[in-house]
Structure formats: C-alpha cells, structure tokens
Amino acid sequence: MASSFAAVFFSSAFAACFAEVCTIPLDTAKVRLQLQKKAALATGGGGGTTGGMLGTIMCIAREEGVAALWNGIIPGLHRQCVYGGLRIALYEPVKAFFIRDGDTVAGGVSLFAKILAALMTGVIAIVVANPTDLVKVRLQADGKATTVKRHYSGALNAYATIIRQEGIGALWTGLGPNIARNAIINATELASYDQLKQMFLKLPGFTDNVFTHLLAGLGAGFFAVCIGSPVDVVKSRMMGDATYKSTLDCFAKTLKNDGLPAFYKGFIANFCRIGSWNVIMFLTLEQVRRSIL
C-alpha cells in the first residue's frame, strides 16, 4: 500500500508540476486582474493592465519582460509537489474510507462520496501547502503595476523575509479562503473528472484514451472556475494585500468597493488557466500512471 501511495504521489506531483510550468503565465495574469481595484482603474492606475487577460499578459511582458510571466514558478512548483501530490494521492484512499452502504450506484461510487473525499483531501493538502501558495501569489503580484511592492529577490528570500518581518504564522495568511477555495475546487475538479470520465466510458464509441481524458479534464476545469472564482478572488486579494483583517473583511470590502462582478474578475483568464491546467495535468497523470503503476 505504501509503495502504491508513493507511486501515485510522485506521478501526481510530476503531472501537476508540468501543468504549472505550461500555464503559469495565465495564472500571473489572473492574479494581477484579481488584485485590480475599481479606484485604481478609475484614476488610470493598474499600469495599463485593464485590457483583460491578453492585454494583461502583453502589458507584463512589455513593461517587466517576458520572464515576469513566470514570476512565482519556484514556489508554484513547491506548491504542486506538496498540494498536487497529496490531494490526488489521498483521493482514492479517502474515497474508499467514505464508501458506505448506499454510497455506490450501479456498481460504482456515488457522486456524493467522490465530492466528500475530494473536499477532505483538498483541505488536508492546502493546510500543508499554504506557505508555498502565499509566496507564489506575492511574487506574482510584485510587479511594476502593483501598489504594494515587496521586492523579494526570489522564493527563498520571500520565505525568509515573511518570517523575519511578519512572523512564521504569516505564512498561513489567507488560510481560511484558501481552504474554502481549494476544498471547493478540488472537490469540483476531482469529483467531476472522475464522474465525467465514468459517464463518457459508458457512452458508445468512448474508450479510456486521450480524447476521453481531454474532455473530462476540460469539463472539470470549467466547473471548478464557475464554482470557485469568488473564493479565488478573496484568496488572491488577502495574500496580495495584508491590509485585510479577515476573510469576511476582504469579502465585505470587495463587495462594497468593487461590486459583485469583482468576484468574477479575471474569469476568462481563470478559465483559460484552470481549464488548460486540468487538461494538461490529467492527460499527463493518466500517461504517467500507465507507465509506472
């Protein structure tokens, strides 16, 4: 059982890291869009990053260099090694634990059991990985167009500076919305991928191949963005701006100052990011699993 868990963990971590490298420019654009505030936009602030995802990417590349689109890649890989590995490796064991009489449907696991298992693994994984997420967001947010500049020289410097200036507990800043975001998105991604794949395989003409994995991964990404965008915005703002006192404070101020649409700010960028991330990650994971398991 241990070797099986280790194999799933490492294959999941590899797939998640590969997807991260491919899609982090979209994530950087998403974070910048989510951190924009209405007041800054009204006064012409934001460094010209108001043209949506593509405009934001082009602005970052033009003003800060193409490499700036990969800001946060090191803590991003740290995060995927921990979070990506744990959430997927724990999914099947936890799902098996939650299966009870009535939790199976026509010989398969019920959707409720899948959602419950993914919620639990998302919480466990992000509690461990929150410091990597915080550093990633701060490195991504620390650009010419942002009002709060911390000038970290790199990921390790960011970890050290945060601990020195704000205390070790600051590494878990935004843990509340991060737990909510990752539990919800993990439940949506893993449960919907599992359910969609199972559904597709019952349809005539579908087999357990790349096309099925691609469709299931894209569907998982779409559902994750639709459900998780509001908590994702709150998480990014709390991690990028230390002035918020709590999750509720961030939610209330965002709603009051920027309106309800702010919770879906960067939606297209987020869907492009999470949709493509899920497709790449699940395709890679399925291929790696077949090779080593």
Side-chain angles (χ1 to χ4, degrees):
M1 182 67 180
S3 61
S4 177
F5 176 85
V8 175
F9 178 87
F10 286 117
S11 61
S12 302
F14 175 81
C17 286
F18 182 68
E20 188 77 7
V21 171
C22 293
T23 63
I24 198 168
L26 296 171
D27 192 50
T28 299
K30 178 209 73 176
V31 169
R32 296 288 181 90
L33 285 167
Q34 289 177 336
L35 291 175
Q36 286 178 0
K37 296 184 174 67
K38 187 179 288 184
L41 299 181
T43 58
T49 63
T50 63
M53 179 190 68
L54 184 58
T56 301
I57 290 174
M58 292 177 66
C59 182
I60 294 170
R62 182 175 63 251
E63 296 186 0
E64 303 170 41
V66 175
L69 292 168
W70 274 267
N71 280 351
I73 186 60
I74 299 303
L77 294 177
H78 294 167
R79 178 186 187 275
Q80 294 305 337
C81 282
V82 178
Y83 176 73
L86 280 176
R87 73 180 184 117
I88 298 174
L90 288 172
Y91 176 64
E92 290 297 335
V94 173
K95 184 171 69 174
F97 175 79
F98 280 123
I99 293 175
R100 297 290 185 270
D101 291 338
D103 277 341
T104 58
V105 179
V109 181
S110 71
L111 180 59
F112 177 75
K114 294 173 184 176
I115 292 172
L116 199 59
L119 281 170
M120 182 65 69
T121 60
V123 170
I124 295 170
I126 202 57
V127 167
V128 177
N130 196 82
T132 63
D133 216 8
L134 175 73
V135 169
K136 175 188 168 187
V137 169
R138 288 201 177 180
L139 286 172
Q140 288 176 316
D142 197 18
K144 291 182 180 179
T146 53
T147 55
V148 180
K149 296 180 176 63
R150 299 179 176 87
H151 303 295
Y152 300 127
S153 62
L156 293 180
N157 174 257
Y159 288 118
T161 302
I162 291 169
I163 292 172
R164 184 176 66 252
Q165 295 181 351
E166 304 173 47
I168 193 168
L171 290 172
W172 278 268
T173 297
L175 181 61
N178 215 12
I179 286 176
R181 173 195 181 269
N182 285 279
I184 291 170
I185 289 181
N186 193 54
T188 310
E189 285 180 350
L190 294 188
S192 61
Y193 180 83
D194 199 354
Q195 190 74 12
L196 286 169
K197 181 181 172 183
Q198 180 181 325
M199 182 187 74
F200 288 141
L201 291 176
K202 291 179 180 178
L203 297 175
F206 280 89
T207 59
D208 193 4
N209 59 16
V210 170
F211 182 68
T212 300
H213 304 156
L214 188 151
L215 287 181
L218 195 59
F222 177 75
F223 288 126
V225 176
C226 289
I227 295 172
S229 276
V231 288
D232 192 37
V233 170
V234 171
K235 181 217 71 165
S236 291
R237 291 197 172 193
M238 284 194 70
M239 289 184 167
D241 187 346
T243 60
Y244 296 113
K245 297 176 183 178
S246 66
T247 303
L248 289 178
D249 179 57
C250 181
F251 181 88
K253 287 180 178 177
T254 300
L255 183 62
K256 179 182 177 181
N257 298 330
D258 302 321
L260 192 61
F263 293 106
Y264 283 89
K265 198 170 188 67
F267 180 86
I268 299 299
N270 207 11
F271 174 65
C272 290
R273 151 72 169 174
I274 293 183
S276 59
W277 193 95
N278 273 273
V279 168
I280 295 170
M281 194 280 290
F282 282 117
L283 283 176
T284 306
L285 179 61
E286 295 280 8
Q287 298 308 309
V288 174
R289 273 179 170 174
R290 291 181 180 186
S291 300
I292 68 174
L293 295 181

